[in-house]
Amino acid sequence: SNKTGCIVLGTGNKSELAMGYSTLYGDMCGGLAVIGDVTKREVYELARWINRSEEIIPAYTVERPPSAELRPNQKDSDTLPDYDIVDHVLQAYVEEHRSPEWIASQYDYSLPLVRDLIKKIHLNEYKRRQAPPVLRVSEKAFSVGRRFPIVQKWI
């Protein structure tokens, strides 16, 4: 960045930022989080759209199971439900301000699962405070305008 005068882009997406699956000194480094308000599902949709005429993003990157790559053979699905579920809960809770009960009922998810995902959203606020600014593309991005206490005894 100093050598070229360019800005470093953070690569964490909204789903990873919500669940704490962006690493503080890894994909959260940078001066701007271009996809920080784009869900995991939308990232894959964008990648497929970008590759619609020719392979610009390597197919392996789009086709392999999501992984924070913190240890060999680790996959996000080892500790998280499918990102479609995460993204539904994220959108309903963060963007639409829906209750855990409404989300569970609407999507036919178990209430403990929904509460666990919401708990992860709150517990990872401290990481999001250290993230670069996020370009907002949704109704409610993690950044200015959606702040919760870092130390939370109330969840």
Side-chain angles (χ1 to χ4, degrees), residues 85-148:
I85 295 170
V86 171
D87 292 349
H88 285 140
V89 171
L90 182 56
Q91 181 175 353
Y93 184 71
V94 173
E95 295 180 28
E96 300 169 10
H97 309 287
R98 302 292 188 172
S99 71
E101 295 78 12
W102 185 93
I103 297 167
S105 173
Q106 177 71 22
Y107 294 105
D108 197 28
Y109 300 154
S110 77
L111 187 55
L113 171 68
V114 173
R115 285 189 173 142
D116 181 60
L117 292 174
I118 289 171
K119 183 177 181 179
K120 283 178 172 56
I121 292 169
H122 288 281
L123 289 174
N124 288 291
E125 181 69 18
Y126 81 97
K127 278 186 160 184
R128 292 188 294 273
R129 295 278 181 104
Q130 298 177 66
V134 171
L135 291 181
R136 185 172 75 92
V137 296
S138 72
E139 291 294 320
K140 187 61 75 174
F142 290 122
S143 194
V144 177
R146 189 194 183 280
R147 296 286 189 169
F148 279 80

Side-chain angles (χ1 to χ4, degrees), residues 42-56:
E42 292 168 328
V43 168
Y44 284 111
E45 289 172 12
L46 284 169
R48 287 185 200 95
W49 183 82
I50 289 167
N51 283 354
R52 70 192 180 280
S53 298
E54 65 178 297
E55 186 177 288
I56 296 169

